[in-house]
């Protein structure tokens, strides 16, 4: 059998050491990072990889697409897929900044907390998502919308950028995602007034909502936060929180380490899926979500 080779492509200056470690631990024989890769370079790189091996060995070659932009990563994924020349193809896995697997894990953990703690699901729930310009929020908003929830991207610098992201999501996935201003305390409190779920996907070490802010969300059922660096993104949601009550005891908390545990298992599981397949496969955050749901039961 041909050796397993993983080509890791990123438009950034560096490839994530986290992702490299994960790929090596998953069991790839050879892992090669490429940095500063432009969208226009994807087809030639992919075709170099597919034509160097017989069609029957295409599943032993994989391409991982990294970076920090959800839209660009998805464009690179599609450019790679279109570069295939049947029967020549390879495996694709896209997870920019690990955010697709993180977003998938976050939504899966929230869904489990709703099910176990409140006997419900995401359908019809109003879900403001803070850190709305980031890739985790991008991924999470699409997954919430696909589950029938009312995802709303909240912009720390106003509504314009998150509005553009919501338009991009509608174009790509055909789902509606709302957007709102989160640049002031008053705007943030207005954004959570009808919230049943709050997702905090903001920068590490930044408190987005304090206890007084949360008082403006009387219908809150679950709050999840991917920030593991103090202070918490949502006050009262500890990094180790795993579905226990917080605040006045009505809402449940899901913290960064509980999400991270599922994220780690999901990313590792998808890398191993590339190694196990005998036919080329293509994986993105929707595949990550399916696996995260299996992991969370």
């Amino acid at each position: 059998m041909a050796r397993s080779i993983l080509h890791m492509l990123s438009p950034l200056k560096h490839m994530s050491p986290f992702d490299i470690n994960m790929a090596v631990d998953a069991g790839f024989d050879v892992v090669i990072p490429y940095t500063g890769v432009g969208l226009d370079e994807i087809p030639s790189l992919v075709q170099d990889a597919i034509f160097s091996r017989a069609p029957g060995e295409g599943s032993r070659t994989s391409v991982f697409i990294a970076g920090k932009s959800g839209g660009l990563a998805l464009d690179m994924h599609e450019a790679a897929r279109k570069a295939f020349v049947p029967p020549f193809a390879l495996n694709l896995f896209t997870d920019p900044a690990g955010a697709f697997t993180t977003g998938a894990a976050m939504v899966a953990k929230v869904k489990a907390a709703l099910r176990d703690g409140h006997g419900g699901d995401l359908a019809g729930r109003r879900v403001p998502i803070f850190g709305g310009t980031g890739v985790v929020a991008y991924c999470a908003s699409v997954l919430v919308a696909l589950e029938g929830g009312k995802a709303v991207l909240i912009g720390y610098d106003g509504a314009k950028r998150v509005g553009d992201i919501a338009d991009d999501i509608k174009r790509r996935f055909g789902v509606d995602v709302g957007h709102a201003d989160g640049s002031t305390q008053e705007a943030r409190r207005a954004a959570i007034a009808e919230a049943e779920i709050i997702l905090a996907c903001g920068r590490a070490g930044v408190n987005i909502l304090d206890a007084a802010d949360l008082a403006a969300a009387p219908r809150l059922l679950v709050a999840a936060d991917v920030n593991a660096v103090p202070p918490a993104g949502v006050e009262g949601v500890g990094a180790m929180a795993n579905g226990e009550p917080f605040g006045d005891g009505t809402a449940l908390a899901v913290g960064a380490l509980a999400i991270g545990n599922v994220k780690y298992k999901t990313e590792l599981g998808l890398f191993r899926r590339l190694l196990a397949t005998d036919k080329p496969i293509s994986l993105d955050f929707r595949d990550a979500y399916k696996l995260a749901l299996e992991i969370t039961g």
Side-chain angles (χ1 to χ4, degrees), residues 2-287:
R3 299 177 74 189
S4 59
I5 300 175
L6 179 65
H7 302 279
M8 306 185 78
L9 313 183
S10 175
L12 304 178
K13 181 180 179 180
H14 301 291
M15 176 61 65
S16 164
F18 185 102
D19 293 329
I20 293 173
N21 288 355
M22 292 285 285
V24 172
D25 289 346
F28 280 93
D29 294 320
V30 181
V31 175
I32 308 102
Y34 304 71
T35 57
V37 177
L39 176 61
D40 61 336
E41 297 175 293
I42 295 292
S44 61
L45 288 169
V46 167
Q47 288 177 356
D48 263 5
I50 62 175
F51 289 138
S52 65
R53 290 181 149 177
E57 295 180 338
S59 63
R60 301 298 290 166
T61 306
S62 299
V63 164
F64 177 82
I65 296 174
K68 283 193 174 180
S69 165
L72 177 56
L74 290 168
D75 288 343
M76 286 183 159
H77 187 108
E78 183 64 9
R81 189 190 63 79
K82 288 181 176 179
F84 296 166
V85 182
F88 294 91
L90 47 68
N91 297 321
L92 290 173
F93 175 21
T94 296
D95 191 18
F100 281 3
T101 45
T102 300
M106 186 181 208
V107 177
K109 287 294 293 182
V110 166
K111 186 173 182 178
L114 275 173
R115 178 195 66 215
D116 298 341
H118 296 288
D121 59 24
L122 288 163
R125 307 291 190 187
R126 185 169 179 84
V127 187
I129 304 174
F130 291 85
T133 59
V135 192
V136 175
Y138 183 105
C139 168
S141 69
V142 177
L143 294 174
V144 168
L146 290 172
E147 287 276 14
K150 300 175 182 178
V152 182
L153 292 171
I154 311 300
Y156 76 94
D157 56 355
K160 174 63 171 64
R161 283 208 296 157
V162 286
D164 291 341
I165 292 169
D167 290 342
D168 180 69
I169 288 170
K170 176 69 171 180
R171 178 180 62 83
R172 291 179 188 274
F173 303 102
V175 295
D176 292 313
V177 169
H179 62 280
D181 176 25
S183 60
T184 66
Q185 184 181 66
E186 291 74 16
R188 291 189 291 276
R189 290 183 178 183
I192 64 172
E194 298 181 6
E196 294 167 275
I197 300 162
I198 291 173
L199 304 184
C201 308
R203 289 176 294 175
V206 176
N207 175 246
I208 299 170
L209 298 171
D210 62 22
D213 295 328
L214 293 172
R219 299 172 59 188
L220 183 63
L221 299 175
V222 179
D225 184 6
V226 297
N227 172 29
V229 180
V234 178
E235 186 175 351
V237 178
M240 297 182 68
N242 194 22
E244 57 263 34
F246 82 108
D248 65 5
T250 302
L252 305 177
V254 179
L257 297 184
I259 294 167
N261 181 48
V262 176
K263 178 265 190 304
Y264 174 87
K265 292 176 180 177
T266 300
E267 184 172 347
L268 188 65
L270 293 181
F271 273 130
R272 287 178 172 164
R273 190 170 292 177
L274 301 180
L275 289 166
T277 185
D278 59 1
K279 293 182 180 179
I281 57 175
S282 178
L283 306 173
D284 65 16
F285 65 85
R286 289 161 291 192
D287 303 283

